[in-house]
Amino acid sequence: MRWLTNPVAQFLATGFVTLVVVALATSALSRQAADEEAVADARALTQVLGRSVAQPDIPEGLVAGDAAAIDRLDRTVLDRLLVGDVRRIKVWAADGTVLYSDRTELIGAVYPLGEDELDVITDGGTDAELSDLTRPENRYERSLGGDLFEVYTRIRSPEGDPLLFEAYFTADELGEQRAAVLDRFLPISIGALAALVALTTPLMLLLNRRLSRSARERERLLEAAVRASDAERLRIARDLHDGVVQDLAGSSMALSTLAARSDGRLAEELQDVGRSLRVSMRSLRSLLVEIYPPDLHTAGLAAAVQDLVAPLAADGVHVDADISGDEDASAAAVALVWRVAQESVRNVARHARASRMSLTVHREADLLVLEVVDDGAGFDPGATAGDEHFGLRAAGSLVREHGGSMEVDSTPGSGTMVRVEVPLA
């Protein structure tokens, strides 16, 4: 699943999701625009048919239901009204009487008009709505199939009475206009975004390669710096061990010999000086362990840890150390565990004011696990700043770079738990 963290893969995935979102949004917006455009066109056509075609040719007597007037209107304007997508024509009186329709069975029937239709007759204007085919006045429209859209506007008879001119349209026109709008806008939107992704993908690949090279170079420089630091630490540790430590050991032995040959107060003073030298030697050896860890594969992690926690035990901290499972671990895994253990013990010694500390290393499946727990003052990991716990954070970064994980659980006044899991290989 490494590709999930690849910036190029993330960019392409984001581009694909964006394409899908844009396609859906464009489709929804174009559908809405097409609906509005179709309704506007239907309103405009109904106004033209009602006021420019039907109204000038309405004969006198149509309002009174004169058969000759109905026949005359039918012969003169019907073929000019049923044009385009218009499927039905009705002319209503204000009381709900159908004065004229291309469906002759409806002429003379009376049906109650709705509030919107009465408002158009009273105030003028044009309105539109989806036809309710369950209403009795629309029973003949059911055979036309599909949904119908009815638009009505006000016209006047020769006698000056306000009438309602109503035209029915099939909803197929809406679908056709939706498709037309999509055909115009969707390729532009999707094509532009796809072209942008196609143009920027090579740039992302190039940038990713440069970043990868920079990361590898940074890692190489970091490793070189660590090796140089380790080499310098080793030189200092060897110089101290072969020089000062040996001199102190010789002086301690000489003082012990002199004390054995002396009597009285001088012997006691020489023994005190010898003990002081031996304490200084132990402190110096602990310092050497901090400056440069022992050869972990030669001396073993357990021996190194014992040297590491010795100063804590000397300061009165009750220490439990249990080391196992590192026999088959790689040198890198053991070194990482040692480094985190070193930083954890150092923090306990400097900041925790703990009375007890446990340090365990064990194996879980293919992982080497370190746990360091103390009952000290604790701290807030999220609020830690400055150099107080920098070493522990740096060690955690090294663990994560090598595929491991590190967890620090601590609250003020409740101690601290550090848990590290490192792959054995």
Side-chain angles (χ1 to χ4, degrees):
M1 305 294 285
R2 183 181 290 268
W3 63 272
L4 291 175
T5 60
N6 186 290
V8 178
Q10 293 174 348
F11 174 76
L12 292 176
T14 303
F16 176 76
V17 172
T18 305
L19 283 174
V20 173
V21 171
V22 169
L24 294 176
T26 302
S27 177
L29 292 175
S30 64
R31 181 184 295 270
Q32 180 180 353
D35 289 347
E36 294 175 354
E37 184 178 349
V39 171
D41 289 346
R43 286 171 177 266
L45 180 58
T46 300
Q47 286 183 343
V48 170
L49 293 177
R51 298 173 187 175
S52 300
V53 178
Q55 180 174 294
D57 287 332
I58 292 179
E60 293 183 0
L62 182 68
V63 175
D66 181 62
I70 295 172
D71 182 66
R72 178 182 173 185
L73 181 63
D74 189 68
R75 287 185 289 104
T76 55
V77 301
L78 182 59
D79 58 342
R80 289 183 289 152
L81 294 177
L82 295 178
V83 295
D85 208 42
V86 179
R87 292 293 177 266
R88 180 78 69 231
I89 292 295
K90 294 177 185 176
V91 179
W92 300 76
D95 61 358
T97 301
V98 179
L99 301 177
Y100 175 77
S101 174
D102 61 294
R103 188 77 184 195
T104 57
E105 295 91 332
L106 292 172
I107 297 176
V110 180
Y111 303 101
L113 294 176
E115 291 184 4
D116 294 340
E117 295 163 321
L118 291 173
D119 288 343
V120 170
I121 288 181
T122 303
D123 303 327
T126 304
D127 205 352
E129 63 183 16
L130 193 65
S131 297
D132 183 2
L133 298 182
T134 62
R135 295 174 62 176
E137 66 269 27
N138 293 331
R139 64 186 182 277
Y140 293 110
E141 282 75 63
R142 299 168 192 166
S143 61
L144 297 177
D147 294 329
L148 293 177
F149 196 68
E150 59 188 54
V151 185
Y152 34 88
T153 189
R154 185 177 70 178
I155 61 175
R156 292 189 178 276
S157 68
E159 295 86 357
D161 297 321
L163 305 178
L164 187 72
F165 179 84
E166 187 173 33
Y168 289 74
F169 299 81
T170 61
D172 294 341
E173 183 181 359
L174 292 178
E176 293 174 358
Q177 292 201 30
R178 288 172 187 161
V181 173
L182 280 175
D183 290 343
R184 290 197 301 269
F185 292 106
L186 194 58
I188 297 174
S189 303
I190 302 301
L193 194 55
L196 178 62
V197 172
L199 289 173
T200 53
T201 297
L203 297 178
M204 284 293 298
L205 288 170
L206 179 61
L207 179 61
N208 184 58
R209 291 195 188 99
R210 290 182 177 178
L211 289 176
S212 298
R213 285 197 299 268
S214 298
R216 288 193 297 269
E217 182 66 15
R218 184 179 66 85
E219 184 176 355
R220 186 186 66 80
L221 293 175
L222 179 60
E223 290 177 352
V226 170
R227 286 195 298 270
S229 176
D230 287 345
E232 184 63 16
R233 286 168 177 252
L234 177 59
R235 185 189 65 79
I236 295 173
R238 283 176 175 171
D239 289 346
L240 289 174
H241 182 272
D242 296 339
V244 177
V245 173
Q246 297 302 322
D247 291 343
L248 289 175
S251 298
S252 176
M253 293 177 62
L255 287 172
S256 298
T257 302
L258 289 175
R261 296 176 180 176
S262 302
D263 296 321
R265 184 173 181 79
L266 178 60
E268 292 178 1
E269 291 178 351
L270 290 173
Q271 289 175 356
D272 289 341
V273 174
R275 281 193 295 270
S276 177
L277 284 176
R278 286 191 290 274
V279 170
S280 297
M281 285 174 56
R282 285 195 297 270
S283 299
L284 188 55
R285 286 196 178 100
S286 297
L287 178 61
L288 292 179
V289 170
E290 284 202 34
I291 292 176
Y292 191 81
D295 187 345
L296 297 175
H297 269 282
T298 300
L301 184 60
V305 167
Q306 292 299 331
D307 289 338
L308 180 64
V309 300
L312 278 179
D315 289 340
V317 179
H318 183 81
V319 177
D320 294 321
D322 184 11
I323 312 300
S324 63
D326 61 312
E327 298 83 6
D328 299 330
S330 66
V334 173
L336 281 173
V337 168
W338 161 259
R339 187 178 293 272
V340 179
Q342 185 182 43
E343 293 297 337
S344 300
V345 171
R346 183 179 296 162
N347 284 335
V348 173
R350 292 178 179 175
H351 312 296
R353 302 187 299 276
S355 61
R356 299 183 64 90
M357 187 199 77
S358 67
L359 190 155
T360 60
V361 177
H362 61 279
R363 180 173 177 175
E364 291 183 6
D366 58 347
L367 297 173
L368 190 62
V369 179
L370 164 71
E371 288 187 350
V372 181
V373 182
D374 69 75
D375 64 351
F379 64 98
D380 182 0
T384 300
D387 298 332
E388 188 172 331
H389 296 279
F390 176 78
L392 197 58
R393 295 197 301 272
S397 298
L398 289 175
V399 169
R400 285 186 288 273
E401 285 182 6
H402 285 78
S405 63
M406 177 172 167
E407 176 187 0
V408 178
D409 185 9
S410 181
T411 54
S414 300
T416 303
M417 187 275 290
V418 178
R419 178 182 172 90
V420 172
E421 297 179 352
V422 179
L424 289 172

